[in-house]
Amino acid sequence: MNISSTITPHEESPIGEERFVASGSTCACYLLQRHGRLLLKKQLLPSFADNERYRQALEKEFEVGFRLDHPHIPHYLEFHGDALLMDYVDGETLTDFIRCAPSYFRKRKQARQFAEELLSAVAYLHQHQVLHLDLKPDNIMLTRIGHHVKLVDLGYCYQDGYPFTTGGTAHYSAPDKENTPASDIYSLGRIFGELGIGRKAVIEKCVKADAAKRYQSVDELAAALRKRNVPTKYLLLPLMLLLLLGVGTWWRMGRNTPSVPASPAMSVEKDTADVFSPVIAATSEIASDGKESLIHMRDEMPLVDDVTPLDNNVYVTAFDSAAAPMQDAKPDNVGASKPDNEQRGFNYNRQKALEMFKPVADSVLADLKQFVSDERMPYKTGSLKAYKAAYESLKTATLDKGRKDPNHFWARIHWSKYNGKPKPYDPIDDYLYQEITSIDALFRTRATNYNFSQ
């Protein structure tokens, strides 16, 4: 490619006023507007503009980035000698985000989203023979809407055909003589360790000095993050209690053997079972905590057990039949009144039903989510009017698909309620409402940013 060439889908497209955004060690970034769309211009600082090595590095970043198409990597659009144009990300760096919200990643759902999106972007680079080699909080952005990951700055990346790299960042760059996927794994371990994501053993393996002892692929790291082992210290106490109770029961039975008739012996066994059952239940509860999980912290999301219906019939819908096998679930509050117990059991059923409903809703909404997440879709449709028409058509088809799903007849009632938040609160209707609302908000943002002429 000629160093002065320009790649753009818009010929003779004027560049509007530029506004300074930030400056790094070698480049400065400016915000500009073109065709109603916000773009980011990354330009070499004057002290590096005549340095051929850095000019080649910037051209390499553009050529590598222009071929990529991933929802968590901004698109590269144009190249002009000492500057390139790319998608503008409306958000802030991970460094700034953590400074303002230090406890954000303590919630399991939010930490899981961040880790999955970041790993997805890095895995995509590796699949296309690209190593980032400068993974750090300053090169990871979180969008203002949804806090989604955008991995930026491919200036130090490595790909076949570009044998050189201009450097890295201390503390986050691996001490490797040869660049491999394990080099990026090292940087990911540093980032996850600072955020408290992942078990200690996983982080320690990521940052091994010897690259051969680290995880060798992003898939291996992702699998390790999902795996959760039950710490031995949490099992020792229940086992010790079992041992002590067993010895005590044996001693009591041995002392009472001469005076205990044959018929009451069964009551002794029953008493023993009653003594052991709470400990066994506690041990089972701890062991069951080994379900697949991304981080070691507890989820702080609120449960729906606090919901109180307005009347006895307000929640009765066709969807409740999906939870029929759960009707005989026993609430923990044995001493509560019958209405309280019934309500706790009902709320439990609704939560189980919600777990069944989520994958159905997500599968039906998949195409609509993909449509609004495609940042190039307004260009593909050609105008704001066509963009809106395509979205409304796809949205209508999506909702019809949800209503007519033959395998989940109980979902129809809920799909018909999506456009108004259900009153009183119902977890299933509310989940669908929140998903549709989120998609609509992202669509409106896309439409506003592109601002096509009618």
Side-chain angles (χ1 to χ4, degrees), residues 145-146 148 369 372 391 432-444:
I145 299 178
H148 294 292
K369 289 182 178 180
V372 299
Y391 173 74
L432 183 58
Y433 170 82
Q434 296 293 345
E435 290 295 297
I436 295 291
T437 301
S438 175
I439 294 174
D440 281 340
L442 183 55
F443 167 75
R444 288 193 297 271

Coordinates of all heavy atoms in Angstrom, one line a residue, residues 145-146 148 369 372 391 432-444:
I145 N -23.1 2.9 27.2 CA -24.3 2.1 27.2 C -24.0 0.6 27.3 O -23.4 0.0 26.4 CB -25.1 2.3 25.9 CG1 -25.5 3.8 25.8 CG2 -26.4 1.5 25.9 CD1 -26.2 4.2 24.5
G146 N -24.3 0.0 28.4 CA -24.1 -1.4 28.6 C -22.7 -1.8 29.1 O -22.5 -3.0 29.5
H148 N -19.9 -2.3 27.5 CA -19.3 -3.4 26.7 C -17.9 -3.1 26.4 O -17.5 -1.9 26.3 CB -20.1 -3.5 25.4 CG -21.5 -4.0 25.7 ND1 -21.8 -5.3 26.2 CD2 -22.7 -3.4 25.6 CE1 -23.1 -5.4 26.3 NE2 -23.7 -4.3 25.9
K369 N -30.5 -8.4 18.0 CA -29.3 -7.9 18.7 C -28.1 -7.8 17.7 O -27.4 -6.8 17.8 CB -28.9 -8.9 19.8 CG -29.9 -8.8 21.0 CD -29.4 -9.8 22.1 CE -30.3 -9.7 23.3 NZ -29.9 -10.6 24.4
V372 N -28.5 -4.5 15.5 CA -28.2 -3.2 16.2 C -26.7 -3.1 16.6 O -26.2 -2.0 16.8 CB -29.1 -2.9 17.4 CG1 -30.5 -2.8 16.9 CG2 -28.9 -4.0 18.5
Y391 N -34.9 -2.0 10.7 CA -35.0 -2.3 12.1 C -36.4 -2.7 12.5 O -36.7 -3.7 13.2 CB -34.5 -1.2 12.9 CG -34.6 -1.4 14.4 CD1 -33.8 -2.3 15.1 CD2 -35.6 -0.7 15.2 CE1 -34.0 -2.6 16.4 CE2 -35.8 -1.0 16.5 CZ -34.9 -1.9 17.2 OH -35.1 -2.1 18.5
L432 N -38.0 -9.8 29.5 CA -38.3 -9.5 28.1 C -38.3 -8.0 27.9 O -37.8 -7.5 26.9 CB -39.6 -10.2 27.7 CG -39.9 -10.1 26.2 CD1 -38.8 -10.6 25.3 CD2 -41.2 -10.8 25.9
Y433 N -39.0 -7.3 28.8 CA -39.1 -5.9 28.7 C -37.7 -5.2 28.7 O -37.4 -4.3 27.9 CB -40.0 -5.3 29.8 CG -40.0 -3.8 29.9 CD1 -40.8 -3.0 29.1 CD2 -39.1 -3.2 30.8 CE1 -40.7 -1.6 29.2 CE2 -39.1 -1.8 30.9 CZ -39.9 -1.0 30.1 OH -39.9 0.3 30.2
Q434 N -36.9 -5.6 29.6 CA -35.5 -5.1 29.7 C -34.7 -5.3 28.5 O -33.9 -4.5 28.0 CB -34.8 -5.6 31.0 CG -35.5 -5.2 32.3 CD -35.4 -3.7 32.6 OE1 -34.6 -3.0 31.9 NE2 -36.2 -3.3 33.5
E435 N -34.8 -6.5 27.9 CA -34.0 -6.9 26.7 C -34.5 -6.0 25.5 O -33.6 -5.5 24.8 CB -34.2 -8.4 26.4 CG -33.6 -9.3 27.4 CD -32.0 -9.2 27.3 OE1 -31.4 -9.5 26.3 OE2 -31.5 -8.8 28.4
I436 N -35.8 -5.9 25.3 CA -36.3 -5.1 24.2 C -35.9 -3.6 24.4 O -35.5 -3.0 23.4 CB -37.8 -5.3 24.0 CG1 -38.2 -6.7 23.7 CG2 -38.3 -4.3 23.0 CD1 -37.7 -7.1 22.3
T437 N -36.0 -3.1 25.6 CA -35.7 -1.8 25.9 C -34.2 -1.5 25.6 O -33.8 -0.5 25.1 CB -36.0 -1.4 27.3 OG1 -37.4 -1.6 27.6 CG2 -35.7 0.0 27.7
S438 N -33.3 -2.4 26.0 CA -31.9 -2.3 25.8 C -31.6 -2.2 24.3 O -30.8 -1.4 23.8 CB -31.1 -3.4 26.4 OG -29.8 -3.3 26.1
I439 N -32.2 -3.1 23.5 CA -32.0 -3.1 22.0 C -32.5 -1.8 21.4 O -31.8 -1.2 20.6 CB -32.7 -4.3 21.4 CG1 -32.1 -5.6 21.9 CG2 -32.7 -4.3 19.9 CD1 -32.8 -6.9 21.5
D440 N -33.7 -1.3 21.8 CA -34.2 -0.1 21.3 C -33.3 1.1 21.6 O -33.1 2.0 20.8 CB -35.6 0.2 21.9 CG -36.7 -0.6 21.2 OD1 -36.5 -1.1 20.1 OD2 -37.8 -0.8 21.8
A441 N -32.7 1.1 22.8 CA -31.8 2.2 23.2 C -30.6 2.2 22.3 O -30.1 3.3 21.9 CB -31.5 2.1 24.7
L442 N -30.0 1.0 22.1 CA -28.8 1.0 21.2 C -29.1 1.4 19.8 O -28.4 2.1 19.1 CB -28.2 -0.4 21.2 CG -26.9 -0.7 20.5 CD1 -25.9 0.3 21.0 CD2 -26.5 -2.1 20.6
F443 N -30.3 1.0 19.3 CA -30.7 1.4 18.0 C -30.9 2.9 17.9 O -30.4 3.5 16.9 CB -32.0 0.7 17.6 CG -32.7 1.4 16.3 CD1 -32.2 1.1 15.1 CD2 -33.8 2.2 16.5 CE1 -32.8 1.7 14.0 CE2 -34.3 2.8 15.4 CZ -33.8 2.5 14.1
R444 N -31.5 3.5 18.9 CA -31.7 5.0 18.8 C -30.3 5.7 18.8 O -30.1 6.7 18.2 CB -32.5 5.4 20.0 CG -34.0 5.1 19.9 CD -34.8 5.8 20.9 NE -34.5 5.5 22.2 CZ -35.0 4.5 22.9 NH1 -36.0 3.7 22.3 NH2 -34.7 4.2 24.1

